[in-house]
């Protein structure tokens, strides 16, 4: 399966998750806002993102996900949240962006060896017969306009990233409220000729609390 075909399969497979993910993030953001009232966000900037991710997990575990997706990851590790399709060898890692400070930001992998390996792994063939697995990042952030709530997208980085520099990726889909995916960039030609999407990062986004 070539790169373009793999992207189409990913789009189709992840689209089925769209409604559940969008509803879950909406619940998590509101729940975090309610629970953190009285604690200034400027003083505890990590608190609401942590609660949002924890609340998202609780929501998905309660409401369930469409087959063959399941909630995985170890919540004891700073609320780690993974959404996995075992038959398709595909995993979404839930993290928060910082669009207001760093437009179109993608978190760096940091020093964790497992994360560094996942960040720079090729975009493998996504199919039940594939011997490889692919990890994507499911990135959310507060929308620039407060009444719009939040943003949600799926990206595939191709490098672990360096603090202060952009992280390249070869897949970037925005998840719309109805669950559909919109490709933010057109990727043409051979894999080595990809016009990579560029994004700013900051040191704090190495940590799973973001």
């Amino acid at each position: 399966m070539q790169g373009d075909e793999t992207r189409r399969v990913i789009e189709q497979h992840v689209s089925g998750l769209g409604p559940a993910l969008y509803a879950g993030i909406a619940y998590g953001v509101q729940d975090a806002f309610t629970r953190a009232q009285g604690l200034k966000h400027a003083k505890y900037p990590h608190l609401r993102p942590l609660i949002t991710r924890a609340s998202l997990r609780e929501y998905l575990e309660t409401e369930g996900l469409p087959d063959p997706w399941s909630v995985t990851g170890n919540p004891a590790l700073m609320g780690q949240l993974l959404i996995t399709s075992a038959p398709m060898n595909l995993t979404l890692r839930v993290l928060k962006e910082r669009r207001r400070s760093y437009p179109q930001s993608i978190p760096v992998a940091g020093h964790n060896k497992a994360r560094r390996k996942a960040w720079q792994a090729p975009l493998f063939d996504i199919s039940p017969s594939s011997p490889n697995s692919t990890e994507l990042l499911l990135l959310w952030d507060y929308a620039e306009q407060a009444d719009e709530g939040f943003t949600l997208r799926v990206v595939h980085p191709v490098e672990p990233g360096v603090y202060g520099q952009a992280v390249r990726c070869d897949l970037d889909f925005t998840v719309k409220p109805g669950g559909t995916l919109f490709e933010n960039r057109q990727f043409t030609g051979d894999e080595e000729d990809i016009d990579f999407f560029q994004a700013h990062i900051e040191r704090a986004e190495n940590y799973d609390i973001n």
Side-chain angles (χ1 to χ4, degrees), residues 81-121:
L81 176 56
L82 307 177
I83 300 172
T84 302
S85 171
M88 299 299 287
N89 302 304
L90 181 62
T91 294
L92 306 179
R93 180 187 292 268
V94 180
L95 294 174
K96 181 186 175 296
E97 295 185 85
R98 292 183 181 275
R99 287 179 181 267
R100 290 186 176 181
S101 301
Y102 299 87
Q104 302 178 322
S105 61
I106 298 176
V108 299
H111 300 295
N112 182 284
K113 291 183 178 180
R115 287 181 57 153
R116 292 182 67 85
K117 181 179 179 180
W119 255 243
Q120 59 190 327

Side-chain angles (χ1 to χ4, degrees), residues 2-4 7 170 186-196:
Q2 299 300 313
D4 287 344
R7 293 186 188 95
D170 60 358
Q186 295 296 320
F187 302 97
T188 58
D190 296 332
E191 294 298 318
E192 59 269 24
D193 294 329
I194 289 172
D195 179 15
F196 287 111

Side-chain angles (χ1 to χ4, degrees), residues 33-55:
F33 179 81
T34 300
R35 291 175 183 268
Q37 284 189 11
L39 297 173
K40 294 182 178 180
H41 183 63
K43 187 174 183 179
Y44 303 101
H46 65 286
L47 189 57
R48 285 200 297 176
L50 265 178
I51 297 175
T52 296
R53 193 158 62 190
S55 296

